[in-house]
Amino acid sequence: MQLSDTFGRKFYYLRLSITDVCNFKCEYCLPNGYQHTEKKCFLSVDEIKRTVDAFAASGTQKVRITGGEPGLRKDLTEIIKVIAANPAIKKIAMTTNGYNLEKNAQQWKDAGLNQLNISVDSLTPHLFNKITGVNRFDDVMRGIDKALEVGFDKIKLNSVLIKEFNDNELHQFLDFIKQRKIEMRFIELMECGETNEFFNKHHLSGDGIKQFLHNQGWVQQMRAKDDGPAQVFSHPESQGSLGLIQPYAKDFCDTCNRLRVSSVGKMHLCLFGEDGVDIRDLIQDDSQQPELIQRLHDAVSTKKVSHYLQEGNTGATPHLASIGG
Ligand code: SAM
Ligand code: SF4
């Protein structure tokens, strides 16, 4: 039976975090880098397989692998393969900082990865390095070229809008996608528990970009049922398209179609505001699937109507690396 909540929303899309660890220090996410304070045991390939199988049996058609930085897991190719082995999963996507994409893009695609989101907050090398805290601009750019060469079904670039950092780069990004089949997505900065000071200083609304796009003849596209929350725009003179994610917009949660599982096996109904429902005890053996599916349905029936971010709620989320942004 399809996972759905009491507000009539149906959940086709699972965002699966496979690690909290990251090798970047993005100012808005992990400004001091990943802290190895407690030893965490991330989901094994078998546990990931059972999780995905139960979600697929409950109507999930798309899985996004995320983190932390998923590219850091040595068994990532195997993880992609076990997800791809489930015939109900029609799309496998991954969000990555792209640091080792050049080396691995081909094998990830061969394993069954269809879509790739690469985070690129600036096309100006010194600004990129300043935002991410690492000197990896060239690696990421070569990774993007390689991903285009390998030919994924869809490639998106994620850029978080940050006042005083990348707010002058719209034209640069538009030039970049003009001759490339890429969806460039601008994401408004979200407030998290550990980064609220940064948020207060640097949050920037996407309304200015939206107005600019309308004025320049960009046209808003229709949304597919397993699409993310982006408003997507296209233009006859650009091969690339442009997506805008505005989590603070009124009605943002109305079209929510995703659920999350953290790297330690907690199911989260929302990025914000709750501690998660533990499912790890029910992914230890294939025979537990009926009980696991029942727990998923029970949890989803308690999903709230909104993330209440507008009211400053960040709930239990210290930063997005902890839950898989
Ligand atoms: N490490 C990978 C990466 O950066 O692509 C995957 C995990 S990261 C948490 C997923 C996405 O969340 C990235 O595109 C990142 O820019 C975005 N993100 C992280 N913190 C955010 C915040 N506070 N507000 C908006 N987006 C955020
Ligand atoms: Fe790492 Fe991604 Fe967070 Fe940057 S946004 S620190 S790359 S998890």
Side-chain angles (χ1 to χ4, degrees), residues 22 28-29 66-70 95-97 119 121 158 160 187-190 192 320-321 324-325:
C22 189
Y28 51 81
C29 183
T66 180
E69 176 42 45
T95 306
T96 174
N97 63 30
S119 297
D121 292 326
N158 287 359
V160 178
I187 307 170
E188 279 184 11
L189 184 63
M190 290 177 257
C192 296
L320 295 195

Tab-separated table of all heavy atoms in Angstrom, residues 22 28-29 66-70 95-97 119 121 158 160 187-190 192 320-321 324-325, ligand 1:
chain	number	residue	atom	x	y	z
A	22	CYS	N	31.819	14.184	6.452
A	22	CYS	CA	32.075	14.991	5.261
A	22	CYS	C	33.506	15.522	5.293
A	22	CYS	O	34.061	15.772	6.365
A	22	CYS	CB	31.088	16.147	5.162
A	22	CYS	SG	31.245	16.966	3.563
A	28	TYR	N	27.788	27.146	5.925
A	28	TYR	CA	26.407	27.080	6.386
A	28	TYR	C	26.028	25.695	6.910
A	28	TYR	O	24.887	25.456	7.292
A	28	TYR	CB	25.459	27.457	5.231
A	28	TYR	CG	25.749	26.674	3.963
A	28	TYR	CD1	25.279	25.384	3.807
A	28	TYR	CD2	26.519	27.230	2.951
A	28	TYR	CE1	25.573	24.649	2.672
A	28	TYR	CE2	26.818	26.510	1.812
A	28	TYR	CZ	26.338	25.223	1.681
A	28	TYR	OH	26.634	24.495	0.557
A	29	CYS	N	26.974	24.747	6.851
A	29	CYS	CA	26.626	23.367	7.199
A	29	CYS	C	27.551	22.821	8.296
A	29	CYS	O	27.110	22.564	9.418
A	29	CYS	CB	26.682	22.515	5.937
A	29	CYS	SG	26.189	20.805	6.174
A	66	THR	N	22.331	10.365	-0.106
A	66	THR	CA	22.912	11.624	0.318
A	66	THR	C	23.717	11.424	1.610
A	66	THR	O	24.017	10.308	1.987
A	66	THR	CB	21.799	12.711	0.437
A	66	THR	OG1	22.385	13.935	0.845
A	66	THR	CG2	20.696	12.332	1.409
A	67	GLY	N	24.080	12.524	2.263
A	67	GLY	CA	24.887	12.406	3.474
A	67	GLY	C	24.856	13.722	4.241
A	67	GLY	O	23.919	14.506	4.052
A	68	GLY	N	25.907	14.001	4.946
A	68	GLY	CA	27.325	13.889	4.786
A	68	GLY	C	27.739	13.784	3.305
A	68	GLY	O	27.012	14.200	2.433
A	69	GLU	N	28.918	13.284	3.092
A	69	GLU	CA	29.368	13.130	1.715
A	69	GLU	C	29.332	11.645	1.332
A	69	GLU	O	30.192	10.869	1.774
A	69	GLU	CB	30.777	13.714	1.542
A	69	GLU	CG	31.375	13.507	0.161
A	69	GLU	CD	30.382	13.751	-0.989
A	69	GLU	OE1	29.646	14.753	-0.973
A	69	GLU	OE2	30.343	12.909	-1.913
A	70	PRO	N	28.349	11.249	0.506
A	70	PRO	CA	28.213	9.826	0.156
A	70	PRO	C	29.423	9.264	-0.574
A	70	PRO	O	29.741	8.084	-0.459
A	70	PRO	CB	26.952	9.775	-0.721
A	70	PRO	CG	26.671	11.180	-1.122
A	70	PRO	CD	27.276	12.068	-0.089
A	95	THR	N	23.229	13.114	-4.216
A	95	THR	CA	23.733	14.478	-4.002
A	95	THR	C	25.153	14.364	-3.460
A	95	THR	O	25.393	13.657	-2.484
A	95	THR	CB	22.851	15.241	-2.992
A	95	THR	OG1	21.498	15.184	-3.439
A	95	THR	CG2	23.264	16.695	-2.896
A	96	THR	N	26.068	15.055	-4.104
A	96	THR	CA	27.481	14.932	-3.733
A	96	THR	C	28.173	16.285	-3.831
A	96	THR	O	27.746	17.152	-4.599
A	96	THR	CB	28.197	13.925	-4.666
A	96	THR	OG1	29.602	13.926	-4.382
A	96	THR	CG2	28.015	14.258	-6.141
A	97	ASN	N	29.257	16.436	-3.072
A	97	ASN	CA	30.057	17.649	-3.254
A	97	ASN	C	31.013	17.503	-4.442
A	97	ASN	O	31.705	18.444	-4.801
A	97	ASN	CB	30.804	18.038	-1.964
A	97	ASN	CG	31.829	16.998	-1.509
A	97	ASN	OD1	32.408	16.287	-2.327
A	97	ASN	ND2	32.077	16.943	-0.204
A	119	SER	N	26.980	19.872	-5.696
A	119	SER	CA	26.889	21.163	-5.020
A	119	SER	C	28.019	22.074	-5.475
A	119	SER	O	29.192	21.722	-5.353
A	119	SER	CB	26.960	20.961	-3.500
A	119	SER	OG	25.859	20.204	-3.097
A	121	ASP	N	28.603	26.096	-4.963
A	121	ASP	CA	28.051	27.345	-4.450
A	121	ASP	C	28.613	28.582	-5.131
A	121	ASP	O	28.053	29.666	-4.989
A	121	ASP	CB	28.284	27.436	-2.928
A	121	ASP	CG	27.464	26.396	-2.181
A	121	ASP	OD1	26.345	26.098	-2.645
A	121	ASP	OD2	27.938	25.881	-1.167
A	158	ASN	N	23.647	22.274	-7.412
A	158	ASN	CA	22.999	22.952	-6.282
A	158	ASN	C	23.854	24.113	-5.825
A	158	ASN	O	25.049	23.936	-5.579
A	158	ASN	CB	22.894	22.016	-5.071
A	158	ASN	CG	21.840	20.939	-5.232
A	158	ASN	OD1	21.164	20.884	-6.240
A	158	ASN	ND2	21.714	20.106	-4.219
A	160	VAL	N	23.616	27.133	-2.860
A	160	VAL	CA	22.868	27.782	-1.782
A	160	VAL	C	23.072	29.288	-1.919
A	160	VAL	O	24.206	29.753	-2.083
A	160	VAL	CB	23.362	27.282	-0.402
A	160	VAL	CG1	22.625	27.998	0.723
A	160	VAL	CG2	23.182	25.776	-0.277
A	187	ILE	N	19.128	27.347	-3.959
A	187	ILE	CA	18.410	26.933	-2.759
A	187	ILE	C	18.541	28.029	-1.716
A	187	ILE	O	19.654	28.471	-1.413
A	187	ILE	CB	19.025	25.631	-2.180
A	187	ILE	CG1	19.114	24.549	-3.254
A	187	ILE	CG2	18.233	25.149	-0.975
A	187	ILE	CD1	19.922	23.324	-2.834
A	188	GLU	N	17.410	28.477	-1.199
A	188	GLU	CA	17.506	29.457	-0.109
A	188	GLU	C	18.101	28.793	1.119
A	188	GLU	O	17.753	27.657	1.456
A	188	GLU	CB	16.114	29.991	0.238
A	188	GLU	CG	15.628	31.064	-0.682
A	188	GLU	CD	14.289	31.638	-0.234
A	188	GLU	OE1	13.850	31.355	0.895
A	188	GLU	OE2	13.682	32.352	-1.046
A	189	LEU	N	18.971	29.512	1.774
A	189	LEU	CA	19.598	29.033	3.000
A	189	LEU	C	18.519	28.728	4.046
A	189	LEU	O	17.587	29.508	4.220
A	189	LEU	CB	20.526	30.145	3.512
A	189	LEU	CG	21.375	29.881	4.731
A	189	LEU	CD1	22.369	28.752	4.471
A	189	LEU	CD2	22.144	31.154	5.121
A	190	MET	N	18.655	27.556	4.716
A	190	MET	CA	17.694	27.189	5.765
A	190	MET	C	18.372	27.303	7.123
A	190	MET	O	19.557	27.020	7.269
A	190	MET	CB	17.209	25.760	5.552
A	190	MET	CG	16.311	25.625	4.344
A	190	MET	SD	15.838	23.907	4.095
A	190	MET	CE	16.907	23.459	2.749
A	192	CYS	N	19.397	26.146	10.663
A	192	CYS	CA	19.578	24.920	11.427
A	192	CYS	C	20.085	25.293	12.821
A	192	CYS	O	20.593	26.396	13.031
A	192	CYS	CB	20.589	23.999	10.743
A	192	CYS	SG	20.036	23.417	9.141
A	320	LEU	N	22.344	20.187	8.169
A	320	LEU	CA	21.731	19.223	7.244
A	320	LEU	C	22.596	17.989	7.016
A	320	LEU	O	22.086	16.954	6.602
A	320	LEU	CB	21.381	19.894	5.912
A	320	LEU	CG	20.298	20.984	5.970
A	320	LEU	CD1	19.780	21.293	4.572
A	320	LEU	CD2	19.139	20.620	6.876
A	321	ALA	N	23.909	18.080	7.291
A	321	ALA	CA	24.766	16.893	7.128
A	321	ALA	C	24.344	15.792	8.091
A	321	ALA	O	24.642	14.619	7.882
A	321	ALA	CB	26.224	17.251	7.361
A	324	GLY	N	20.972	14.392	6.105
A	324	GLY	CA	20.962	14.202	4.654
A	324	GLY	C	20.098	15.256	4.018
A	324	GLY	O	18.898	15.079	3.861
A	325	GLY	N	20.691	16.393	3.673
A	325	GLY	CA	19.928	17.556	3.165
A	325	GLY	C	19.274	17.274	1.848
A	325	GLY	O	19.477	16.251	1.248
B	1	SAM	N1	27.686	16.589	0.889
B	1	SAM	C1	26.758	16.532	-0.180
B	1	SAM	C2	26.616	17.873	-0.860
B	1	SAM	O1	26.988	18.891	-0.261
B	1	SAM	O2	26.108	17.909	-1.966
B	1	SAM	C3	25.395	16.001	0.204
B	1	SAM	C4	24.834	16.434	1.534
B	1	SAM	S1	24.428	18.163	1.670
B	1	SAM	C5	23.778	18.258	3.311
B	1	SAM	C6	23.004	18.257	0.595
B	1	SAM	C7	22.632	19.635	0.111
B	1	SAM	O3	22.159	20.399	1.209
B	1	SAM	C8	23.779	20.415	-0.518
B	1	SAM	O4	23.399	20.869	-1.792
B	1	SAM	C9	23.958	21.585	0.426
B	1	SAM	O5	24.375	22.736	-0.252
B	1	SAM	C10	22.577	21.726	1.022
B	1	SAM	N2	22.567	22.396	2.330
B	1	SAM	C11	23.310	22.096	3.410
B	1	SAM	N3	23.013	22.922	4.435
B	1	SAM	C12	22.046	23.774	3.986
B	1	SAM	C13	21.308	24.850	4.568
B	1	SAM	N4	21.477	25.224	5.832
B	1	SAM	N5	20.377	25.474	3.805
B	1	SAM	C14	20.181	25.099	2.516
B	1	SAM	N6	20.835	24.083	1.913
B	1	SAM	C15	21.757	23.430	2.635
